[in-house]
């Protein structure tokens, strides 16, 4: 211990002797034994001679103990509160605390310490303040953490008012922005009211003194006027045979002042400086109690509101009236049933909600839907503070008020709200779509981390971007936000369309060279034939060719009739697609009548898969009746179906794959790849790793670079085929991959 410290460790330790007398009234023997180790522990610390204390200031043991006793906090919470300052001054760490006081005290102290470290960076934006409040609650995990932090805040404010310092204003502002609203939400109203009044006194001392003087002048009936009126009203209810209970409160100074500022009024026009609630058993009793009030006390005209017959939009119900009370001052009385009271206090119309901006709970208010969680917590706190022992409640209650959300910081201190299990990529897209599109890496709390890392509440995330980096399909395996998933999918679709368009242009140019001199592919030539293929533009037509929806031969044949005549002269008899080659059922033909769900009296027909589009299980299919060949299955987007559009009587649309169908099916894929030695090795390896089987390979214009490679791949269905295509697209040297949709 530093002996020059005027408030050294021995003095600090001695202060707890008086505090123990307050706490021993309700603490268990085990808690008292735990706290008995506190004085010696504090005395042996090496306290600095003249510390510059960060908020909260040194704990005054007696004051802190009194606050914690009112909150009925257990011994572990009291010890944690006393140890926060040593932790902030780096005099002790969580390991030393656990060694002396146990894991429960270490957990609580560490939780309060984490919240204390958020001080000094309070944002001024309302939405950001709300997110920071949620973050504090989420970080707390154990309700004792936040209650201990509230106790320390209240103790610090009392100390700042008694001995004003330069840090008092910042402490007061933070208390108003963060901890008073949290206390209100948790239902600890006396803490909320005192925190607000103390902060009011520190921030605006002259306004505080003026408001205190005005309210004192208007208070009639003495200092304990609230208790006196409650007893009078309770007696009047009994005289009129109305069963109910009466609660009263005097509006605290900060609340009066903010209402005057908000409504631009003065004290004389405020009728709820003292408000009373009469809670009865039924709706009929509400109106009976109202009649009793108006018969006993003179009502003020125009100040009656019936929110029972006409509830507020948020469901709030009550009768409000203003009367001249028994001591001649104007008082507001609210009359409601027990159920109405629960809704008003803890439900969707809880005071912290319906007294928000605009006076009503907005449809998109973040508090909507979570009020029931607060209601449960407030109910638990009320029961605990009414006399339950701390060991029966606080030691076993662990809460997470926002289990489905996390709250993380940007490097500038802005808070981003994300779903649970969100990653740095989700964070990047939440910041800005361009940040997400060019996300290359991330630092979490100053350390490099993988993009698929799971973020936690309180993390500080920095995204590293590069103009050369773009989204990839692998991100879809771990992102959780709809925004990120939508942006990635959109980019991949645009990228794939660009690849297919480039591939289509390449295929058309090669086919044009086959047609001979004088045939060229340009937008003007393509514009002449787009209507023949139901395309919207030359670019759309080239995309359809690259995606395999239209044959490049068909397009060039339309552009050059002479080439079409040549193709007709050179045409060979088509190979039967139902004929197996080398013993393999290449086309996925299934001839058993129970393996396809067919309609009508067609069960005896042979069924085979069209080689042009290679349908596999999972594809949406259509059947075409072919004379002498039975039913030929095509994918619904097969380009060759357009040639059969004038024969609708041959189409069978009401067919589907049998769910129990197994076996292998052949599909055709075209890839645009660099023309180099060994190009097939990684392609074959990628297909094999996806459990596919490469049946045939054909190069088009092998002398060019890049070249077109046609692949026939054997798969079990659409999912495996998609997996093969995705694997091929990730190979170096492969510029585009698409599935052929026509021959």
């Amino acid at each position: 211990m530093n002996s020059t410290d005027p408030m050294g460790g021995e003095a600090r330790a001695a202060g707890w002797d008086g505090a123990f007398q307050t706490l021993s009234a309700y603490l268990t023997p085990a808690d008292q034994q735990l706290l008995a180790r506190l004085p010696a522990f504090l005395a042996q610390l090496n306290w600095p001679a003249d510390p510059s204390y960060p908020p909260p200031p040194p704990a005054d043991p007696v004051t802190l103990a009194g606050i914690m006793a009112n909150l009925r906090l257990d011994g572990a919470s009291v010890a944690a509160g006393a140890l926060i300052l040593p932790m902030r001054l780096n005099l002790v760490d969580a390991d030393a605390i656990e060694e002396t006081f146990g894991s429960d005290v270490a957990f609580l102290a560490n939780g309060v310490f984490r919240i204390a470290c958020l001080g000094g960076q309070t944002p001024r934006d309302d939405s950001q303040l709300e997110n920071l409040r949620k973050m504090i609650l989420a970080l707390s995990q154990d309700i004792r953490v936040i209650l201990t932090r509230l106790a320390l805040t209240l103790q610090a404010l009392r100390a700042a008012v008694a001995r004003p310092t330069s840090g008092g204003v910042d402490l007061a502002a933070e208390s108003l922005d963060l901890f008073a609203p949290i206390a209100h939400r948790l239902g600890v109203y006396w803490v909320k009211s005192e925190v607000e009044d103390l902060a009011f006194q520190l921030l605006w001392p002259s306004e505080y003194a003026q408001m205190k003087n005005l309210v004192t002048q208007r208070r009639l009936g003495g200092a304990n006027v609230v208790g006196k009126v409650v007893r009078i009203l309770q007696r009047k209810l009994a005289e009129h045979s109305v069963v109910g209970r009466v609660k009263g409160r005097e509006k605290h100074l900060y609340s009066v002042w903010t209402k005057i500022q908000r409504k631009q009024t003065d004290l004389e026009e405020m009728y709820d400086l003292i408000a009373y609630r009469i809670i009865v058993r039924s709706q009929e009793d509400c109106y009976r109690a109202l009649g009793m009030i108006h018969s006993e006390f003179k009502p003020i005209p125009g100040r009656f509101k019936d929110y029972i017959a006409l509830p507020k939009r948020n469901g709030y119900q009550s009768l409000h009236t203003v009367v001249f009370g028994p001591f001649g001052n104007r008082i507001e009385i609210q009359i409601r049933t027990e159920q109405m009271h629960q809704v008003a206090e803890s439900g969707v119309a809880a005071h912290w909600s319906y007294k928000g901006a605009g006076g009503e709970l907005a449809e998109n208010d973040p508090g909507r839907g979570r009020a029931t969680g607060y209601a449960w917590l407030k109910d638990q706190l009320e029961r605990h503070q009414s006399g339950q022992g701390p060991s029966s409640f606080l030691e076993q209650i662990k809460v997470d008020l926002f289990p489905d959300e996390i709250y993380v910081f940007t490097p500038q201190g802005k808070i981003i709200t994300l779903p649970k299990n969100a990653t740095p990529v989700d964070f990047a897209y939440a910041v800005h779509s361009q940040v997400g599109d060019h996300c290359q890496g991330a630092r979490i709390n100053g350390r490099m981390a993988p993009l698929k890392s799971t973020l936690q509440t309180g993390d500080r995330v920095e995204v590293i971007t590069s103009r050369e980096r773009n989204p990839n399909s692998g991100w879809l395996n771990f992102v959780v936000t709809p925004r990120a998933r939508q942006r990635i999918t959109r980019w991949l679709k645009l990228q794939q369309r660009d690849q297919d368009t480039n591939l289509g242009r390449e295929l058309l140019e090669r086919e044009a060279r086959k047609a001979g001199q004088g045939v060229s592919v340009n937008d003007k030539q393509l514009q002449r034939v787009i209507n023949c293929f139901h395309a919207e533009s030359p670019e759309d037509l080239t995309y359809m060719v690259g995606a395999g929806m239209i044959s490049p031969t068909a397009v060039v044949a339309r552009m050059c009739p002479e080439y079409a005549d040549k193709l007709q002269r050179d045409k060979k008899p088509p190979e039967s697609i139902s004929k197996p080659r080398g013993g393999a059922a290449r086309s996925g033909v299934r001839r058993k009548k129970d393996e396809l769900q067919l309609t009508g009296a067609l069960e005896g027909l042979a069924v085979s898969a069209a080689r042009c589009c290679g349908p596999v299980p999972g594809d949406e299919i259509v059947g075409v009746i072919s004379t002498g060949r039975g039913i030929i299955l095509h994918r619904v987007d097969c380009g060759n179906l357009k040639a059969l559009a004038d024969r609708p009587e041959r189409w069978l649309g009401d067919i589907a794959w049998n769910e129990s169908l197994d076996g292998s099916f052949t599909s055709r894929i075209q890839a645009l790849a660099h023309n180099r030695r060994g190009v097939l090795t990684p392609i074959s390896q990628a297909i094999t790793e996806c459990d596919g089987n490469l049946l045939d390979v054909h190069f088009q214009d092998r002398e060019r670079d890049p070249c077109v490679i046609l692949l026939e791949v054997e798969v079990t269905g659409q999912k495996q085929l998609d997996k093969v295509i995705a694997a091929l697209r990730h190979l170096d040297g492969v510029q585009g991959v698409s599935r052929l949709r026509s021959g």
Side-chain angles (χ1 to χ4, degrees):
M1 183 190 71
N2 193 326
S3 59
T4 62
D5 179 11
M7 186 57 180
E10 293 181 357
R12 295 176 195 280
W16 283 99
D17 293 337
F20 291 155
Q21 297 179 5
T22 303
L23 297 167
S24 61
Y26 74 96
L27 288 181
T28 64
D31 280 343
Q32 294 182 40
Q33 293 176 8
L34 173 72
L35 292 178
R37 299 195 289 272
L38 188 60
F41 185 84
L42 293 173
Q44 54 87 29
L45 298 179
N46 188 27
W47 294 91
D50 185 22
S52 177
Y53 293 117
D60 169 45
V62 176
T63 301
L64 184 61
I67 297 171
M68 290 191 155
N70 286 335
L71 290 170
R72 297 191 68 80
L73 285 165
D74 63 347
S77 304
V78 175
L83 294 167
I84 294 305
L85 182 62
M87 288 186 72
R88 298 205 69 179
L89 294 176
N90 295 318
L91 303 182
V92 66
D93 58 21
D95 292 337
I97 293 174
E98 182 172 359
E99 183 179 348
T100 304
F101 299 98
S103 59
D104 198 23
V105 176
F107 168 80
L108 295 174
N110 191 56
V112 179
F113 177 73
R114 290 172 68 193
I115 294 175
C117 290
L118 295 175
Q121 56 186 10
T122 306
R124 307 309 304 173
D125 178 73
D126 288 343
S127 63
Q128 288 291 290
L129 277 171
E130 175 61 17
N131 284 336
L132 187 54
R133 293 171 196 142
K134 292 179 185 177
M135 176 183 287
I136 289 172
L137 288 166
L139 282 171
S140 299
Q141 293 183 294
D142 189 316
I143 193 59
R144 291 176 293 176
V145 171
I146 192 62
L147 292 177
T148 301
R149 184 64 179 92
L150 291 175
L152 287 169
T153 299
L154 183 53
Q155 178 267 327
L157 287 170
R158 289 179 180 177
V161 168
R163 298 182 299 277
T165 63
S166 59
V169 173
D170 291 338
L171 173 65
E174 181 183 65
S175 301
L176 276 183
D177 287 337
L178 291 180
F179 297 109
I182 289 175
H184 200 176
R185 290 193 176 192
L186 298 182
V188 194
Y189 297 120
W190 68 271
V191 173
K192 179 252 186 186
S193 298
E194 188 174 351
V195 165
E196 288 183 338
D197 279 355
L198 291 171
F200 181 26
Q201 186 174 354
L202 288 168
L203 290 170
W204 302 283
S206 59
E207 289 86 345
Y208 173 85
Q210 182 183 16
M211 189 58 57
K212 183 177 181 181
N213 183 54
L214 290 174
V215 170
T216 302
Q217 291 176 6
R218 287 202 55 191
R219 184 189 293 128
L220 302 176
N224 193 28
V225 64
V226 174
K228 295 175 183 177
V229 174
V230 166
R231 288 190 290 272
I232 292 172
L233 292 177
Q234 195 74 57
R235 186 171 65 251
K236 294 295 183 182
L237 285 176
E239 292 175 0
H240 288 260
S241 301
V242 178
V243 178
R245 56 191 177 94
V246 182
K247 300 175 66 175
R249 63 166 177 81
E250 187 172 18
K251 209 174 189 71
H252 60 288
L253 296 179
Y254 179 74
S255 181
V256 174
W257 182 70
T258 54
K259 186 170 184 178
I260 290 174
Q261 301 299 314
R262 185 175 66 251
K263 294 194 173 184
Q264 294 297 303
T265 184
D266 56 41
L267 201 62
E268 294 300 321
E269 297 179 11
M270 292 187 62
Y271 301 104
D272 60 346
L273 287 178
I274 302 178
Y276 300 90
R277 291 180 184 139
I278 298 176
I279 302 169
V280 295
R281 296 183 299 183
S282 67
Q283 184 172 308
E284 291 78 9
D285 286 342
C286 290
Y287 291 99
R288 290 179 59 201
L290 177 66
M292 179 274 293
I293 293 296
H294 284 180
S295 66
E296 294 285 349
F297 307 101
K298 182 180 179 180
I300 296 177
R303 301 303 303 177
F304 168 67
K305 296 178 182 178
D306 188 344
Y307 292 120
I308 294 179
L310 298 171
K312 290 186 178 183
R313 286 177 56 193
N314 54 27
Y316 174 83
Q317 288 183 292
S318 188
L319 298 176
H320 290 199
T321 186
V322 180
V323 300
F324 286 101
F327 298 102
N329 54 330
R330 290 171 294 189
I331 60 175
E332 181 183 76
I333 299 177
Q334 302 170 2
I335 307 170
R336 60 181 68 146
T337 65
E338 189 70 48
Q339 182 179 3
M340 295 173 189
H341 181 65
Q342 290 300 320
V343 171
E345 287 294 294
S346 305
V348 295
H351 189 76
W352 58 269
S353 293
Y354 79 81
K355 285 293 187 182
E360 293 180 340
L361 185 62
E363 291 295 331
N364 61 351
D365 191 304
R368 179 178 291 274
R370 297 197 182 97
T372 53
Y374 285 119
W376 168 81
L377 184 56
K378 287 165 64 176
D379 180 63
Q380 296 295 321
L381 286 171
E382 287 176 2
R383 281 195 282 168
H384 166 66
Q385 293 174 39
S386 65
Q388 281 189 4
S391 60
S392 66
F393 169 68
L394 288 176
E395 290 183 358
Q396 61 185 355
I397 183 170
K398 296 284 178 73
V399 297
D400 183 358
L401 294 178
F402 305 100
D404 300 322
E405 291 182 348
I406 62 170
Y407 310 93
V408 294
F409 287 111
T410 67
Q412 294 75 32
K414 181 180 179 181
I415 299 171
I416 302 293
T417 302
L418 294 169
K420 187 178 180 182
N421 298 323
T423 66
V425 176
D426 295 295
F427 173 87
Y429 277 108
V431 172
H432 195 280
S433 57
Q434 290 298 316
V435 176
D437 285 345
H438 301 292
C439 177
Q440 177 175 289
R443 291 188 181 92
I444 302 176
N445 301 322
R447 296 183 178 181
M448 291 298 298
L451 289 178
K452 63 180 180 180
S453 303
T454 301
L455 300 176
Q456 304 294 331
T457 289
D459 285 343
R460 187 174 296 272
V461 186
E462 178 185 357
V463 177
I464 302 170
T465 61
S466 170
R467 301 303 300 179
E468 306 300 321
R469 186 63 183 265
N470 293 304
N472 66 71
S473 58
W475 290 1
L476 295 174
N477 295 327
F478 54 77
V479 295
V480 298
T481 57
R483 176 181 175 86
R485 186 169 296 277
Q486 179 183 18
R487 289 288 306 185
I488 295 167
T489 302
R490 177 176 176 271
W491 191 92
L492 292 175
K493 285 183 178 179
L494 290 175
Q495 189 73 4
Q496 184 58 43
R497 185 179 178 92
D498 290 343
Q499 291 181 4
D500 288 342
T501 300
N502 293 333
L503 177 59
R505 179 74 65 170
E506 178 76 17
L507 293 174
L508 286 172
E509 289 175 351
R510 294 183 185 187
E511 193 68 30
R513 286 193 294 272
K514 292 180 182 179
Q517 296 294 330
V519 180
S520 61
V521 177
N522 54 53
D523 287 350
K524 183 177 180 180
Q525 295 290 337
L526 293 174
Q527 185 70 40
R528 292 170 44 215
V529 299
I530 59 174
N531 292 332
C532 301
F533 299 98
H534 306 287
E536 296 179 357
S537 65
E539 181 184 355
D540 189 35
L541 182 58
T542 56
Y543 159 70
M544 295 168 71
V545 172
M549 300 169 66
I550 300 173
S551 167
T553 304
V555 175
V556 175
R558 285 281 185 178
M559 295 166 56
C560 181
E562 294 81 3
Y563 186 50
D565 293 339
K566 178 180 181 299
L567 292 174
Q568 186 65 31
R569 291 193 300 269
D570 297 342
K571 188 175 182 181
K572 298 179 180 179
E575 179 185 356
S576 172
I577 63 172
S578 61
K579 179 181 178 181
R581 182 185 301 172
R586 293 170 46 81
S587 61
V589 177
R590 291 297 181 268
R591 298 183 181 277
K592 293 182 181 180
K593 64 181 181 181
D594 60 340
E595 289 185 332
L596 285 176
Q597 304 298 323
L598 304 181
T599 60
L602 301 174
E603 297 182 355
L605 294 181
V607 180
S608 59
R611 188 169 184 269
C612 55
C613 57
V616 299
D619 289 331
E620 189 176 355
I621 55 175
V622 63
V624 178
I625 300 175
S626 177
T627 303
R629 297 175 59 192
I631 300 173
I632 310 299
L633 301 181
H634 293 261
R635 288 159 54 197
V636 294
D637 59 353
C638 178
N640 288 342
L641 287 176
K642 295 178 181 179
L644 302 172
D646 58 344
R647 305 294 299 274
E649 70 278 1
R650 291 181 174 270
W651 288 41
L652 300 174
D654 191 16
I655 58 176
W657 298 100
N658 192 315
E659 293 182 358
S660 60
L661 187 63
D662 56 8
S664 299
F665 301 81
T666 300
S667 186
R668 303 175 70 211
I669 300 172
Q670 66 180 7
L672 186 64
H674 287 307
N675 191 351
R676 63 188 183 190
R677 184 183 299 274
V679 66
L680 286 179
T681 301
I683 291 177
S684 176
Q685 183 177 358
I687 295 172
T688 302
E689 289 176 353
C690 295
D691 297 325
N693 185 21
L694 181 60
L695 297 176
D696 193 15
V697 179
H698 176 68
F699 284 84
Q700 288 186 349
D701 295 339
R702 181 62 187 266
E703 70 280 1
R704 296 184 61 84
D705 186 25
C707 62
V708 176
I709 306 175
L710 301 181
L711 307 168
E712 290 193 359
V713 181
E714 195 175 56
V715 294
T716 58
Q718 186 184 47
K719 290 184 178 180
Q720 187 182 16
L721 180 59
D722 291 342
K723 184 178 179 181
V724 169
I725 292 174
L728 293 177
R729 285 174 177 165
H730 282 84
L731 294 178
D732 291 337
V734 175
Q735 298 182 3
V737 182
S738 62
R739 186 178 174 187
L740 283 174
R741 299 180 184 177
S742 63

